[in-house]
Amino acid sequence: MSTERDEQFHSFVLDRRASLVRTATLLTAGDGHLAEDLVQATLTKLYVAWPSFRRADNPDGYLRRTLVNALVDEKRRWWRRHERPMSEVPDRPGVEGSPPGDEVDAGLRTALRELPPRMRSAVVFRYFYDLDVADTADALGCSVGTVKSQTARALDRLRTVLAPSLPLTGVTR
């Protein structure tokens, strides 16, 4: 037997899941499996807090914050700290004939992956989703000053890693 809450939540998931996966994929620097895990954790938390979510003044901000919190929670797991991510599985031949631009995308994903989760989140929300500083601060649950400093530090790190291959000129703080 389906309740009105279940029907509302089901409609919400159908409407927003694809966009959540895209955002989570950016937040995880291209890790599709982790992105799916984050979306599932976010939706689970959202279902439990559905009445609060429905009453929220800024439901999109609530959703972004829940997603970022799921990422931070995931990164705190002890077994995650002991994993060694690899760009390619050993004994697997390299992919030849990649379309041009894949190196830049892969390089950017790798550079993003090196940033701490909150710093990466600040960059994703500010520059991939073009949120202003206040909305980013709301999503991260921090002050505007923290967003500015996290973004500046992240851009400095990205410039250092990507300097010869992808200068981040034109990106302002």
Side-chain angles (χ1 to χ4, degrees):
M1 177 192 267
S2 181
T3 66
E4 181 180 346
R5 173 187 177 159
D6 290 344
E7 290 172 13
Q8 289 173 350
F9 185 75
H10 180 75
S11 294
F12 172 83
V13 171
L14 289 176
D15 185 46
R16 301 295 295 273
R17 187 177 183 290
S19 136
L20 274 172
V21 170
R22 276 192 303 278
T23 302
T25 302
L26 285 169
L27 291 174
T28 61
D31 185 337
H33 297 291
L34 180 55
E36 289 285 344
D37 290 347
L38 291 179
V39 168
Q40 189 61 41
T42 298
L43 291 173
T44 300
K45 290 176 183 182
L46 209 56
Y47 181 78
V48 170
W50 189 248
S52 297
F53 174 74
R54 298 282 293 166
R55 288 189 309 267
D57 292 335
N58 181 359
D60 287 333
Y62 189 108
L63 185 59
R64 285 189 292 265
R65 183 140 183 216
T66 305
L67 188 60
V68 168
N69 288 344
L71 173 64
V72 171
D73 290 347
E74 184 66 25
K75 291 297 183 178
R76 287 181 180 153
R77 297 192 196 291
W78 71 269
W79 55 267
R80 276 262 181 226
R81 291 189 298 264
H82 300 290
E83 278 188 347
R84 297 193 190 275
M86 305 175 102
S87 60
E88 289 187 22
V89 177
D91 299 325
R92 179 178 163 203
V95 179
E96 294 195 26
S98 303
D102 272 0
E103 301 110 21
V104 172
D105 291 338
L108 182 57
R109 273 194 305 274
T110 300
L112 283 170
R113 196 173 291 122
E114 297 300 317
L115 296 175
R118 292 244 183 224
M119 200 178 283
R120 183 181 328 129
S121 299
V123 169
V124 167
F125 288 140
R126 289 283 290 126
Y127 299 107
F128 287 86
Y129 285 97
D130 202 25
L131 294 182
D132 63 21
V133 175
D135 287 340
T136 302
D138 182 53
L140 297 177
C142 63
S143 71
V144 167
T146 299
V147 169
K148 289 179 180 180
S149 67
Q150 290 288 304
T151 303
R153 289 175 35 211
L155 291 176
D156 286 343
R157 284 189 186 185
L158 291 173
R159 281 185 188 101
T160 300
V161 172
L162 300 171
S165 62
L166 181 69
L168 295 176
T169 59
V171 174
T172 60
R173 297 177 189 169

